[in-house]
Amino acid sequence: MTGTDLVERAAAGLKDRSGRPPAGVWSAPGRANLIGEHTDYNDGFVFPFAIDRRAAVALGDRDDRAVRVSSSFAPDPVVVHLDELDPDAQHGWSAYPLGVVWALREFGADLAHARGVDLHLESDVPVGAGLSSSAAIESAVALALNEHWGLGFDRPTLAKVGRLAENRVVGAPTGILDQSAALLAEADAGVFLDCRSLDAEVVPLHFAEAGLAVLVVDTRVEHAHATGGYAARRSSSEAGARALGVPSLRELPERELLRARELLDDETFRRVRHVVTENRRVLDTVRALHEGGPATIGALLDASHASMRDDFEISTPELDLAVETTRAAGAIGARMTGGGFGGSAIALVPLARVEEAAGAVRAAFAAAGYREPGTFTVVPSPGARRER
């Protein structure tokens, strides 16, 4: 589905369900995290980029104070009155858009006199693939309501709104990486984000100029951040920081890992080591891009995957096979991306070898008896925007 098709489908979907044309259509992208995994909730550094797969929301006014959300991926709409928003009452897909409405109010939006709205959602971001389909929905809805209701929030604040919706209403203990990528990204660039200060730098990537493409391998092993593995890793990180006497693992210098090994049990130590070394890899990647361009970052991507596989233990056999196979087929670097326990891997592949690498992965998965993976390239793309 092209971007234009997605916007038209959102607009048509709203008109079919409400009988009125939309007042506007907004969209926001999914994201791939180039490097910096599970560092965001540790106040560390991340470096995602937006991809050319998006979620779109068409918005129409209502004559009452209800919010009705609908989508092509759910059979029935969900309706909630603005005076009855309850973070504990939303379930399933509706928790994402309705969570944003609730979170906007928590951030100070005065909705006492707001008119209700109809929201219709369409998305071509693969669900469960580790490409943050949820943040794409949250960010599109947040930008749409912020503009339509004249709330005046800036984009960093809207990223916090999306994070609150994800944490409190959806129940996923994620950091701010995904929403920041969706709202702050620019074309052909990544977002280097300090998750403690929330300072962001847009860093040019120039993949195509360097003759490289980002190949995504969707393992089709679905993950869910609201389930236990992600939360357990966050708890381990926080326990390690407490035991080492630092407010967060961002504050732990790499030289302190020797002391950490003595004080912590083996599992907690390895969780800590991943976060500390991953922060350094993010900084090294940004430096390498500035100084040598994208052809110089492959070894850092490889090291990041090894750390997630061995120290943080969030990879899967399918993800490992995707990484190993793309590397053997010519990728200069590859790693799993996203929260782990399934989802996708990304590989930085010479343009001339993309089809070869994709075919090699499909063959390797078939030989291993795994489901056929999805393979497609993505382009670093602009963040959330109004479409019409």
Side-chain angles (χ1 to χ4, degrees):
M1 189 188 304
T2 67
T4 301
D5 290 341
L6 188 71
V7 170
E8 292 305 317
R9 283 185 57 177
L14 183 87
K15 187 172 182 180
D16 287 346
R17 288 160 176 80
S18 70
R20 300 178 182 179
V25 181
W26 289 258
S27 78
R31 65 95 189 96
N33 195 23
L34 186 64
I35 198 163
E37 226 64 75
H38 288 262
T39 48
D40 55 347
Y41 56 75
N42 286 293
D43 285 347
F45 302 103
V46 295
F47 191 33
F49 62 91
I51 63 174
D52 50 340
R53 301 287 187 103
R54 303 180 76 87
V57 58
L59 180 153
D61 279 311
R62 293 176 60 89
D63 297 325
D64 56 18
R65 283 178 44 78
V67 176
R68 183 177 66 175
V69 294
S70 61
S71 78
S72 61
F73 41 85
D76 300 312
V78 178
V79 182
V80 175
H81 196 280
L82 279 171
D83 296 326
E84 298 173 353
L85 292 168
D86 180 353
D88 297 314
Q90 307 312 320
H91 304 286
W93 74 273
S94 68
Y96 297 100
L98 292 174
V100 167
V101 182
W102 172 82
L104 285 168
R105 190 182 64 186
E106 294 299 297
F107 270 81
D110 182 1
L111 305 183
H113 304 290
R115 289 177 65 183
V117 290
D118 288 317
L119 302 173
H120 181 75
L121 289 151
E122 297 282 346
S123 179
D124 63 8
V125 184
V127 175
L131 300 174
S132 202
S133 56
S134 59
I137 290 172
E138 291 157 358
S139 300
V141 170
L143 187 66
L145 294 175
N146 186 58
E147 292 187 11
H148 187 69
W149 282 338
L151 303 178
F153 293 130
D154 61 15
R155 288 186 177 227
T157 301
L158 293 179
K160 295 177 186 176
V161 166
R163 176 180 61 181
L164 179 60
E166 187 98 16
N167 292 170
R168 180 63 182 85
V169 183
V170 178
T174 56
I176 203 165
L177 182 161
D178 299 339
Q179 293 82 8
S180 295
L183 285 156
L184 304 178
E186 296 181 13
D188 195 26
V191 179
F192 171 44
L193 180 67
D194 180 335
C195 295
R196 181 175 63 189
S197 68
L198 298 186
D199 290 338
E201 176 190 357
V202 176
V203 178
L205 293 172
H206 299 315
F207 290 148
E209 187 179 314
L212 296 168
V214 180
L215 175 67
V216 175
V217 178
D218 178 1
T219 66
R220 304 265 168 78
V221 177
E222 292 194 11
H223 68 168
H225 282 171
T227 54
Y230 191 102
R233 296 309 184 277
R234 181 164 187 162
S235 294
S236 289
S237 301
E238 293 168 349
R242 285 194 302 271
L244 294 165
V246 291
S248 72
L249 293 181
R250 159 69 175 275
E251 317 300 330
L252 190 71
E254 201 166 353
R255 64 179 181 274
E256 289 290 300
L257 287 176
L258 286 174
R259 179 173 71 93
R261 185 187 286 275
E262 295 174 356
L263 292 175
L264 303 174
D265 64 85
D266 178 66
E267 180 181 286
T268 306
F269 168 70
R270 287 185 290 110
R271 305 297 188 250
V272 167
R273 180 168 61 184
H274 165 73
V275 174
V276 172
T277 58
E278 186 80 345
N279 276 324
R280 173 179 50 77
R281 285 187 287 269
V282 175
L283 298 175
D284 288 348
T285 297
V286 172
R287 186 179 305 109
L289 285 167
H290 281 309
E291 295 176 356
T296 65
I297 67 172
L300 291 162
L301 303 185
D302 293 342
S304 176
H305 183 77
S307 181
M308 291 185 287
R309 180 192 64 210
D310 300 335
D311 276 355
F312 225 59
E313 297 182 289
I314 55 173
S315 190
T316 66
E318 293 87 348
L319 286 166
D320 293 340
L321 183 60
V323 167
E324 294 159 7
T325 305
T326 53
R327 289 288 287 122
I332 69 166
R335 65 188 288 276
M336 58 147 282
T337 188
F341 310 102
S344 297
I346 57 171
L348 206 51
V349 183
L351 287 167
R353 303 193 68 176
V354 169
E355 289 306 316
E356 175 189 346
V361 169
R362 290 192 293 270
F365 272 51
Y370 299 150
R371 290 181 64 186
E372 182 177 359
T375 56
F376 51 92
T377 58
V378 292
V379 177
S381 298
R385 64 194 180 201
R386 183 167 187 160
E387 300 284 358
R388 53 182 279 190

